[in-house]
Amino acid sequence: MKRVLLAASIAALAMTATAGAGPLAAPTKSPGKLIVGFDVPAPGFWNGHATGTTIKNPTGFEAALSQAIAKKLGISKIQYLRAPFGGLFSPAPKKYDFAFEEVTITAQRAKVVSFSTPYFDANQGVLIRKGLAKPSSIAALKQLQLCAQSTTTGLSYIQHKLRPTKKALVFSASSTAAFDAVEAGKCDALILDVPIVVSQSKKKPGAYGGVIGQIVTHEGYGAVMDKGSKLKPSLDGAIKALKADGTITRLQQKWLPFTRVPILK
């Protein structure tokens, strides 16, 4: 009888402990803290003053989304870590849990990193220099001096699908150099993710000829993580929940209020 009572007591204690326990902590690199990689400039997506390896007073769509994700995961502490775009696709271990950098999910990139479920849909936008006659079709782009940022899907589109008559100018450091080339007239048209070029055009009105259209490529942005990251299921769940409750839509409307861009065919 004593053994039965003892066994029942142990079972009851186990059930009480299980019932009182909260959800399992998200498997972040540092317990209780979420480390998010970012890069700038990315008007609308990331705002704030980058200094050294961090950013002061971060705001913007991806900054706000990272904060909403942390809340879903039950994490109150967030650290933002500078992670240049060009180094995202190295197979080396990441110092961050995930990076939000307007990264298009591709099969090639997924060979060396893991992606979250998509959190944003994006096509390629065409930003032209001031004074250039607006091209009215994709075919018309082939005759222009195009430019792109290295390791982007915009560059891949130019090289493998568009195949213009002139070799595209490629800027490796960041999108800043590419935007500068368009502003200076060295590049007729920059092909880069439509929300990025629209945000930049609005940031510097009068510096460019405007975003004259978008090319439908059916791309989606995903957070970049270590290949096989244990955080992926938790992160995917948080993103899906934030889509379902309308949070992501509200953040897009707040931080990325660009109007509909016509489709080039």
Side-chain angles (χ1 to χ4, degrees):
M1 184 65 178
K2 288 183 178 180
R3 289 182 179 179
V4 174
L5 290 173
L6 179 60
S9 298
I10 293 173
L13 287 171
M15 290 177 65
T16 301
T18 302
L24 292 176
T28 54
K29 290 181 179 289
S30 180
K33 179 170 71 173
L34 186 65
I35 304 174
V36 180
F38 75 98
D39 200 10
V40 290
F45 287 90
W46 284 101
N47 309 308
H49 178 62
T51 172
T53 60
T54 189
I55 185 171
K56 291 182 178 180
N57 304 317
T59 61
F61 171 67
E62 287 174 330
L65 180 55
S66 70
Q67 292 157 12
I69 287 171
K71 187 175 180 180
K72 283 288 184 185
L73 296 178
I75 298 173
S76 59
K77 187 175 182 180
I78 306 178
Q79 177 185 352
Y80 293 104
L81 185 66
R82 191 75 181 268
F85 185 90
L88 290 180
F89 311 114
S90 164
K94 314 299 183 191
K95 294 182 179 180
Y96 45 81
D97 292 301
F98 64 81
F100 267 162
E101 299 189 24
E102 309 91 66
V103 179
T104 301
I105 300 169
T106 69
Q108 185 65 30
R109 291 170 174 175
K111 292 179 180 179
V112 291
V113 298
S114 284
F115 285 103
S116 70
T117 190
Y119 63 88
F120 189 89
D121 297 324
N123 289 319
Q124 291 299 307
V126 183
L127 176 70
I128 64 171
R129 65 173 173 80
K130 196 171 183 178
L132 180 73
K134 295 181 179 180
S136 58
S137 66
I138 292 176
L141 297 176
K142 295 183 178 183
Q143 309 304 317
L144 303 179
Q145 176 59 70
L146 302 177
C147 61
Q149 183 182 350
S150 66
T151 71
T152 62
T153 51
L155 176 60
S156 179
Y157 178 84
I158 292 172
Q159 295 175 332
H160 302 298
K161 293 187 177 181
L162 192 58
R163 295 189 175 94
T165 57
K166 300 176 183 178
K167 186 176 180 180
L169 302 176
V170 181
F171 299 93
S172 60
S174 70
S175 58
T176 302
F179 286 131
D180 289 347
V182 179
E183 186 174 358
K186 297 178 181 178
C187 168
D188 291 326
L190 166 65
I191 296 182
L192 190 62
D193 299 11
V194 64
I196 299 177
V197 292
V198 170
S199 294
Q200 178 67 16
S201 182
K202 288 183 175 294
K203 181 182 178 183
K204 298 187 71 175
Y208 314 100
V211 179
I212 54 91
Q214 63 177 308
I215 302 167
V216 177
T217 52
H218 305 291
E219 299 173 60
Y221 291 165
V224 177
M225 297 169 280
D226 287 321
K227 185 68 176 176
S229 172
K230 294 180 180 179
L231 182 62
K232 178 174 167 57
S234 300
L235 179 57
D236 286 352
I239 291 173
K240 289 176 181 178
L242 292 168
K243 279 185 177 179
D245 68 15
T247 297
I248 288 181
T249 297
R250 289 192 293 273
L251 292 178
Q252 288 179 8
Q253 291 172 344
K254 178 178 181 179
W255 295 107
L256 304 170
F258 47 82
T259 57
R260 180 173 175 81
V261 176
I263 295 174
L264 279 181
K265 297 181 179 179

